[in-house]
Amino acid sequence: STEAEAALRQALQRDPEHPTSRYYLGAFLMQVDRPDAAFRTWDQLLRDSPPNAPWVAPIRNQIEDVAARAGVNYELPTALSGPSQDDIEAAGDMSVEDRDQMIRADGLVTTSGNLGLTILTADCLPLLLADEEGKVIGACHAGWRGAAGGIVANTTDAMRRAGATNITALIGPTIRQPSYQVGSAMRDEVLAMVAPSFRDLAAACFAPDDGTYAPSLGAPIISNEDGPRFRFDLAGLVQYQLAACGVMTVHDCGVDTYYDQGISGEVNGRLSDPDSKDKDDFADSLPFFSHRRATHTKMADCGRQISIIARTL
């Protein structure tokens, strides 16, 4: 019903990454014969979710049929954590299609000189890593669940097992604290996921949203009627974790995917207008893709940017 859709859209306005609302939005889109939008919604939710999340199993049971109805050639990824080092080394002899199907994970490490590691993001944090000799490289996709769940430590540990020393990290374009408003439930989930010894540092990444942060791109300041609101520093959480892993050289590009428009708000030589009726024109005017911005401006899809790291030969 239109009332159900309005309720789901309102919930996603409050928290665009709320997993239960995203799951039911996909189910609703299937009911109204929008398998294309349903597939995009569920595919991204599946990529963002830990394997034990309660919505993962029902999505995995249905998404291949949804993809077929949407006309998408899709193969359900395995529920494993990702390829082994031997698999990655063998990927150099694979076709592009076979390699794409093999590599489905939030973190990758390689010592191969003929293989680039890539991360697709649209607000989540792309983290690229290399040791000082350039013999070992790593890349990981750090959304808030992945970051809280230990993807940074898992990736740096894998690099050291492969022989890395003195790792340098690069934090790529991601949503930044002034643009990242979240609810208390998300904060509680992050604090429950991190190690107890790390909980105080994680808590410091949540600033109470008392109205001192200006909304970006016209996004509304959410009221506190559903509980306290916070602004979350995802990059800060990752930097704390890198330090805990002994990675002391960190370069942060500082880009906010939600609102970074360059000089004087101009992009491609003109002012961007989030209230423009031509949403596709607005999307093309910004240099970075943002899932949250796409939700707030009611775009059909947000797109993805790619971050790549490769060894020098």
Side-chain angles (χ1 to χ4, degrees), residues 57-278:
I59 289 177
R60 290 180 64 87
N61 288 337
Q62 302 174 71
I63 195 169
E64 288 180 299
D65 179 60
V66 174
R69 292 177 60 182
V72 177
N73 185 13
Y74 176 79
E75 182 175 331
L76 187 67
T78 65
L80 301 176
S81 60
S84 67
Q85 181 66 25
D86 290 340
D87 291 333
I88 292 176
E89 297 295 343
D93 298 324
M94 291 182 178
S95 68
V96 173
E97 292 78 11
D98 290 341
R99 191 180 300 170
D100 179 64
Q101 290 303 319
M102 183 198 75
I103 301 175
R104 291 184 180 272
D106 276 341
L108 293 168
V109 171
T110 187
T111 57
S112 175
N114 62 347
L115 187 67
L117 305 181
T118 64
I119 301 292
L120 292 175
T121 57
D123 282 341
C124 292
L125 187 150
L127 184 65
L128 305 179
L129 304 142
D131 75 333
E132 65 178 354
E133 296 182 0
K135 293 182 178 179
V136 186
I137 57 172
C140 66
H141 172 284
W144 69 265
R145 283 189 183 85
I151 188 61
V152 174
N154 290 344
T155 306
T156 56
D157 287 348
M159 290 182 68
R160 290 193 171 99
R161 288 196 300 271
T165 58
N166 295 332
I167 297 170
T168 294
L170 171 64
I171 293 174
T174 185
I175 191 167
R176 301 288 168 161
Q177 189 169 26
S179 304
Y180 202 174
Q181 187 183 51
V182 302
S184 56
M186 185 271 220
R187 177 182 182 272
D188 292 344
E189 188 171 350
V190 168
L191 297 184
M193 291 176 69
V194 300
S197 60
F198 197 76
R199 201 157 289 156
D200 287 344
L201 287 175
C205 296
F206 292 87
D209 190 352
D210 55 5
T212 57
Y213 287 104
S216 298
L217 290 183
I221 287 288
I222 306 302
S223 71
N224 287 344
E225 58 189 28
D226 294 325
R229 312 298 293 184
F230 301 88
R231 299 281 172 158
F232 176 48
D233 187 2
L234 175 60
L237 178 63
V238 168
Q239 290 203 43
Y240 282 139
Q241 291 177 322
L242 286 167
C245 294
V247 179
M248 308 312 296
T249 303
V250 180
H251 302 281
D252 185 350
C253 74
V255 168
D256 186 343
T257 48
Y258 187 92
Y259 195 50
D260 240 308
Q261 295 181 323
I263 299 172
S264 301
E266 285 194 1
V267 180
N268 298 335
R270 59 188 171 84
L271 289 172
S272 58
D273 179 10
D275 297 319
S276 168
K277 293 180 181 179
D278 190 344

